[in-house]
Amino acid sequence: MHSSDAVREGLIPLLPRLRRLARALAGQAADADDLVQVVLERALARAAQWRPDAPLDKWVFAIARNAWRDEMRTRGRAQHLFAPEESGAAVADGSDARHAQQLELAQALAMLPPDHREVVALVLVEGLSYDAAAALLEVPVGTVTSRLARARAALQAHLGNDA
Amino acid sequence: MNPIDDDSLQAYVDGALDAAEAARVEAALAQDEALARRVRQLQALNAQLRAAFDPVLDEPVPARLSALLQPPSAPEGTVLPFRARGTEASRHRHVLRRRWLPGAALAASLALLAAGLWWWQSGNVLMRTQGGQQFAAGALAHALDRELASAPDTQSPVAIGLSFRSKDGQICRSFTVRTPPARAGLACHTAAGWELPVFGAAEQSAGGELRQAASELPPAVQAAIDARLRGNIFDAQQERAARAAGWR
């Protein structure tokens, strides 16, 4: 099978997870799906660079993370990146109480610096191991754990979970 | 024995400790209520994040995204073999299937331009208003009644996109008017005919590089689909069955 076919077919079952990761990175649903679109286009364009013995999910998650960083750089010049009050659209509807809680969480996430937000998305939302996240981000494992600890502290402070 | 530091607690909560280390943390938790409370906070935050984002896994994938992963040479009218791919595939059964491809659509619309111009000048009644609601009329109503996305009629001025049953139980179909001025919309079948909750110009959305390869569906139509979609997009067989049942 041609590598582009293998990548294209391999990406189909990954779409839900890719959308979840993008939602955690980008915040709003529409922005997240725009990001997924860019990721799919890049992945297909670079299919020849994927080695079949490498996990496709981590390969495409790395593309997603880099595309998100690129997008933030582009947007950062023009406008504020995340309007926390708009980020409520990031999360799924639920009951009102759950919705309010998720709105708060989305706002807290939107306020994290990108370095912290991406470890939250990769480790806590996608469920990558520390090692896998470190490899993907090309940083030492200790950097992942320290960013994660600081991100958690910021989230909990924002959410008032310190009790 | 070393005290349990915050890094160890975090790693414990994230399942990143080996069995021996995890056992050491658990022994300490049993002795130290402050540590145990800290672990519960960390676990609560993890659970909150999962509750916020895991529902995305169960959302239908927007058609414009799954369309990018269709084989470029898919013959028209075939249902792509997503469902034949075992358990992983069945989990993602609602990955949308796109049956006509942008390239084919472009070719078809170019081929239709002359016919379309004739048709455009010969009367352009595609819509009627009844009780303040917009309904499909003329060639649009005919296409919605008759045409199958799985067996596209390249001579028709209307291209049917996706068909599905909405949350309200109505059958809805997206469509593109291939004759100028390009328009697109969503039609939902009611007792009074094909109601048009969205019908408007199919322009390229302005500017943004992220949208440059978006499907032809304008964002308003895509949003109308996303808001109504409950289950699967119809495959060819379901589409035929729905037509046979009068779109009810």
Side-chain angles (χ1 to χ4, degrees):
Chain A
M1 187 185 287
H2 193 269
S3 67
S4 66
D5 289 337
V7 167
R8 187 174 48 68
E9 292 196 5
L11 287 174
I12 292 169
L14 293 177
L15 270 175
R17 281 167 66 203
L18 192 54
R19 291 184 72 233
R20 178 178 63 175
L21 180 69
R23 195 81 61 97
L25 289 171
Q28 297 189 57
D31 289 346
D33 282 334
D34 284 349
L35 175 63
V36 172
Q37 181 168 342
V38 169
V39 172
L40 295 179
E41 286 162 359
R42 284 194 191 177
L44 293 172
R46 298 175 192 173
Q49 295 170 24
W50 175 64
R51 291 173 294 111
D53 56 331
L56 186 64
D57 55 356
K58 295 184 182 70
W59 183 75
V60 76
F61 293 159
I63 293 176
R65 179 264 182 176
N66 292 333
W68 174 63
R69 288 294 193 125
D70 292 347
E71 171 65 5
M72 289 213 309
R73 268 192 292 276
T74 309
R75 281 219 217 170
R77 283 195 288 269
Q79 60 181 73
H80 64 283
L81 186 58
F82 299 110
E85 67 275 15
E86 292 169 8
S87 300
V91 292
D93 285 332
S95 66
D96 286 347
R98 232 185 86 209
H99 186 75
Q101 197 185 29
Q102 296 190 349
L103 191 73
E104 231 185 330
L105 180 65
Q107 290 173 352
L109 278 170
M111 292 165 77
L112 292 181
D115 282 351
H116 292 180
R117 193 175 172 104
E118 66 195 13
V119 292
V120 169
L122 290 168
V123 176
L124 301 186
V125 176
E126 168 51 33
L128 291 189
S129 69
Y130 296 168
D131 286 340
L136 192 155
L137 296 170
E138 297 177 320
V139 298
V141 175
T143 304
V144 168
T145 56
S146 66
R147 284 177 185 173
L148 198 52
R150 279 182 287 154
R152 282 182 150 124
L155 289 176
Q156 291 194 317
H158 187 91
L159 297 171
N161 284 359
D162 285 331
Chain B
M1 187 189 245
N2 292 328
I4 307 292
D5 60 17
D6 230 37
D7 277 359
S8 301
L9 283 189
Q10 169 174 268
Y12 171 72
V13 167
D14 293 337
L17 295 182
D18 62 29
E21 278 289 300
R24 192 173 82 89
V25 171
E26 276 163 13
L29 292 177
Q31 304 289 323
D32 185 336
E33 177 50 29
L35 276 187
R37 201 178 59 193
R38 180 89 188 99
V39 163
R40 285 196 298 274
Q41 282 177 0
L42 291 169
Q43 287 169 334
L45 182 63
N46 282 11
Q48 215 178 330
L49 283 160
R50 283 196 300 271
F53 292 104
D54 282 358
V56 177
L57 296 175
D58 295 321
E59 292 176 7
V61 174
R64 67 172 163 120
L65 298 180
S66 41
L68 291 173
L69 300 179
Q70 299 283 11
S73 57
E76 284 182 341
T78 55
V79 175
L80 297 161
F82 291 1
R83 60 171 54 185
R85 238 173 258 141
T87 54
E88 187 65 19
S90 61
R91 178 167 160 60
H92 303 294
R93 224 153 37 89
H94 51 217
V95 168
L96 307 185
R97 298 176 189 115
R98 180 69 180 246
R99 275 172 230 96
W100 57 281
L101 300 159
L106 181 64
S109 59
L110 287 174
L112 276 165
L113 195 55
L117 281 170
W118 167 82
W119 173 84
W120 164 245
Q121 285 162 355
S122 69
N124 187 28
V125 181
L126 293 183
M127 197 188 82
R128 62 187 167 86
T129 304
Q130 180 183 329
Q133 302 290 338
Q134 297 180 350
F135 288 89
L140 178 57
H142 181 77
L144 288 165
D145 280 337
R146 298 306 313 158
E147 287 183 32
L148 296 173
S150 51
D153 174 1
T154 53
Q155 300 305 307
S156 169
V158 177
I160 301 294
L162 308 163
S163 302
F164 60 91
R165 194 172 286 281
S166 76
K167 288 172 181 160
D168 300 335
Q170 297 169 341
I171 289 176
C172 299
R173 315 188 81 196
S174 69
F175 60 87
T176 309
V177 179
R178 293 193 277 211
T179 49
R183 281 154 296 171
L186 183 71
C188 295
H189 192 263
T190 70
W194 289 100
E195 191 176 336
L196 301 173
V198 191
F199 184 42
E203 292 168 343
Q204 296 294 332
S205 62
E209 58 177 17
L210 286 177
R211 295 203 183 272
Q212 67 190 5
S215 66
E216 309 89 310
L217 285 183
V221 177
Q222 187 62 55
I225 293 172
D226 291 345
R228 284 170 180 76
L229 188 59
R230 183 180 60 188
N232 291 351
I233 297 295
F234 288 174
D235 61 22
Q237 197 180 355
Q238 289 171 313
E239 192 185 34
R240 261 177 217 287
R243 182 174 70 175
W247 308 108
R248 283 184 182 89

